[in-house]
Amino acid sequence: MAKRDEAYVDTSALIAFTDQSDTYHALFARLFANPPRLVTTSLVIAEGHGWFLRRYDRYKAMQFLGLIEALTPMSVVSVSRRDRQASFGLIRHYSDQNLTLADAVGLQVMETRGVGSCWSTDFHLGITGVPLAIHEH
């Protein structure tokens, strides 16, 4: 069943939302204030936690995890073997792009769920045609 009213949340959107100095902070603060149904993956959460740990410290990384726990309209998809294998295929297919495994899994999840919007600042997450929030708002 298509979930066109659902938005996929990428690591870059979560970072922009939490980092007030980010260029896209105001946009994502507005979007997260009244969100539709949201979906992300466990890889996005791991990527975000690692980013805050490396960029700042353990305290900021823990705050990031607290944010994830508080985002109740967001469901977190675990990566299945089928998703992982399909993602490897996407990485091969789009070998001209710098897709991480987290990006490719996100593309797979968006396609499988029929997600209508992608909250990301990474332009390559729009390569399959799902509109990026940074272009819509």
Side-chain angles (χ1 to χ4, degrees):
M1 180 168 103
K3 297 181 179 179
R4 293 283 169 212
D5 60 336
E6 189 172 54
Y8 176 78
V9 180
D10 180 46
T11 313
S12 61
L14 292 167
I15 290 169
F17 175 54
T18 57
D19 184 354
Q20 292 182 359
S21 68
D22 190 281
T23 303
Y24 293 102
H25 172 74
L27 169 64
F28 288 110
R30 187 169 32 86
L31 290 174
F32 277 105
N34 188 24
R37 290 182 310 182
L38 302 174
V39 64
T40 195
T41 68
S42 53
L43 290 178
V44 164
I45 294 169
E47 192 174 60
H49 179 258
W51 188 88
F52 280 98
L53 194 57
R54 286 186 307 278
R55 174 92 182 229
Y56 295 104
D57 54 32
R58 291 184 302 265
Y59 178 72
K60 287 281 192 188
M62 290 295 290
Q63 282 183 320
F64 173 77
L65 294 178
L67 167 72
I68 298 302
E69 289 176 322
L71 283 173
T72 55
M74 185 168 70
S75 62
V76 179
V77 175
S78 295
V79 180
S80 70
R81 180 182 177 153
R82 187 176 65 84
D83 289 334
R84 189 176 62 246
Q85 291 302 323
S87 299
F88 292 170
L90 285 169
I91 290 171
R92 288 184 194 97
H93 181 77
Y94 294 108
S95 61
D96 62 326
Q97 302 288 318
N98 291 329
L99 291 177
T100 65
L101 182 58
D103 294 337
V105 167
L107 291 171
Q108 173 64 20
V109 166
M110 286 188 279
E111 180 179 320
T112 302
R113 292 176 70 105
V115 170
S117 178
C118 178
W119 291 9
S120 180
T121 65
D122 295 338
F123 294 102
H124 59 264
L125 283 182
I127 60 178
T128 60
V130 175
L132 296 176
I134 57 174
H135 295 146
E136 295 179 316
H137 299 274

